Amino acid sequence: MQNYSAASVNLDGVRSDVIKKALAADVPTELMHAQQLAGRLKTIGGTVPGSLALPRGQRMLQPKEDTTDVVAVMKGVIAAEEVAIAQYTKIIKLCEGTDYVTRDMVIGILGGEEEHRREFNGFLREYQKA
Ligand SMILES: [Fe+2]
């Protein structure tokens, strides 16, 4: 979410506008997912971790020196969505038979991430034609 927000501001160039708007629009969606997950974690007896407890390893979406490299951002977004999809799928499987409320919530979030991946795959295909 932080990298989406950064890219939505950092990108330059005539063809970056749609990508910047799509990323900016995704920031509140991703924040809402985090809030949903945090609320559910608390409900089932956990504690929501603070920022220092979270490892940060996202390399593909770090800001590039070339701020017109829109393709790199699109590829980074698709990679990030793939990671999210894999993680949510894992959670859904873990919840099977034990926690249907979390499972249903995460299935909803997963559908959103799949849609987002599809959107960026479409952007990338169009860009690579030009
Ligand atoms: Fe997403």
Side-chain angles (χ1 to χ4, degrees):
M1 183 177 69
Q2 194 177 342
N3 289 330
Y4 285 17
S5 182
S8 79
V9 174
N10 287 336
L11 283 176
D12 289 307
V14 288
R15 297 202 303 163
S16 67
D17 206 46
V18 170
I19 307 304
K20 287 165 74 173
K21 283 187 178 135
L23 287 169
D26 197 44
V27 170
T29 307
E30 302 294 1
L31 179 60
M32 193 178 70
H33 293 164
Q35 288 173 317
Q36 281 178 283
L37 292 163
R40 185 63 191 154
L41 185 61
K42 179 70 177 171
T43 299
I44 62 176
T47 303
V48 180
S51 59
L52 291 179
L54 300 172
R56 293 185 172 244
Q58 225 291 353
R59 304 225 168 268
M60 285 194 76
L61 271 175
Q62 297 308 303
K64 301 267 184 287
E65 205 173 305
D66 178 3
T67 57
T68 66
D69 193 350
V70 183
V71 167
V73 170
M74 289 188 286
K75 286 181 175 172
V77 169
I78 292 164
E81 297 295 335
E82 295 282 0
V83 170
I85 287 165
Q87 184 62 22
Y88 290 133
T89 302
K90 195 167 129 190
I91 294 169
I92 291 163
K93 286 180 182 161
L94 283 170
C95 290
E96 188 57 48
T98 59
D99 182 352
Y100 293 109
V101 175
T102 302
R103 190 196 66 169
D104 280 7
M105 188 187 81
V106 175
I107 286 172
I109 295 173
L110 174 64
E113 303 301 3
E114 287 174 339
E115 171 58 27
H116 199 224
R117 176 181 61 181
R118 185 212 55 78
E119 180 186 32
F120 272 78
N121 271 323
F123 290 152
L124 184 61
R125 275 207 317 279
E126 188 188 23
Y127 263 69
Q128 286 178 330
K129 264 196 228 164

